Amino acid sequence: RYMSDDLFDLDMYEMREVEPEGYTSGLGTSVMLGGEYRLGPSEQFSAGALYSARFGELNTTSAITFVGGFVPRSFFNASVSYSYVQRTGSVVGGLLKLGNLLLGAEYAFAGPQSSYNFFLGIGIGIGKRTER
């Protein structure tokens, strides 16, 4: 009985082919608003803020970032930042620029999913060089 053709007859199980439906996706809209203010006698200090919102299909994620920077010479920059990301947590970061070399780190406070990030980069200027 099990070796007969009835066991492997697909019509008996009422199986049929179904055409797959098409799938489309798109990029969400983002809005960013920010500003920076330079301080000090030779404008070597700066303070800034950036607000960003990413509009998704079901929800919107907002973040606000505050940045402080120090630029005593054109070949040396240092900055620190703090970001609050809605429903996710906070991020604290720092960056050093020595010539064209960039060194940075950040720590994300997200409860049990906290993480560290380190990065290294090289900056290559494009265009005319301006002196302050």
Side-chain angles (χ1 to χ4, degrees):
R1 175 175 145 197
Y2 294 107
M3 299 304 286
S4 71
D5 290 337
D6 290 340
L7 183 64
F8 298 105
D9 185 15
L10 295 180
D11 292 331
M12 182 176 83
Y13 298 105
E14 297 180 9
M15 295 184 141
R16 55 195 148 101
E17 271 189 49
V18 177
E19 289 291 324
E21 293 182 18
Y23 176 77
T24 60
S25 67
L27 297 175
T29 304
S30 296
V31 172
M32 295 185 162
L33 300 170
E36 179 184 23
Y37 186 73
R38 299 216 174 236
L39 310 162
S42 59
E43 296 184 341
Q44 73 260 22
F45 297 101
S46 67
L50 175 70
Y51 170 78
S52 65
R54 296 180 189 263
F55 300 97
E57 209 171 290
L58 300 175
N59 56 21
T60 300
T61 302
S62 299
I64 187 154
T65 302
F66 299 100
V67 179
F70 177 59
V71 186
R73 303 272 186 243
S74 63
F75 63 88
F76 176 78
N77 296 351
S79 64
V80 293
S81 66
Y82 170 78
S83 298
Y84 174 74
V85 183
Q86 176 189 16
R87 295 187 306 266
T88 303
S90 300
V91 179
V92 175
L95 176 74
L96 282 176
K97 178 182 175 265
L98 304 167
N100 289 341
L101 182 66
L102 301 165
L103 303 167
E106 64 183 11
Y107 177 68
F109 302 92
Q113 299 175 347
S114 298
S115 65
Y116 294 97
N117 294 310
F118 297 97
F119 49 93
L120 172 69
I122 296 176
I124 299 171
I126 299 174
K128 292 182 181 179
R129 186 180 186 115
T130 59
E131 295 295 326
R132 287 198 228 173

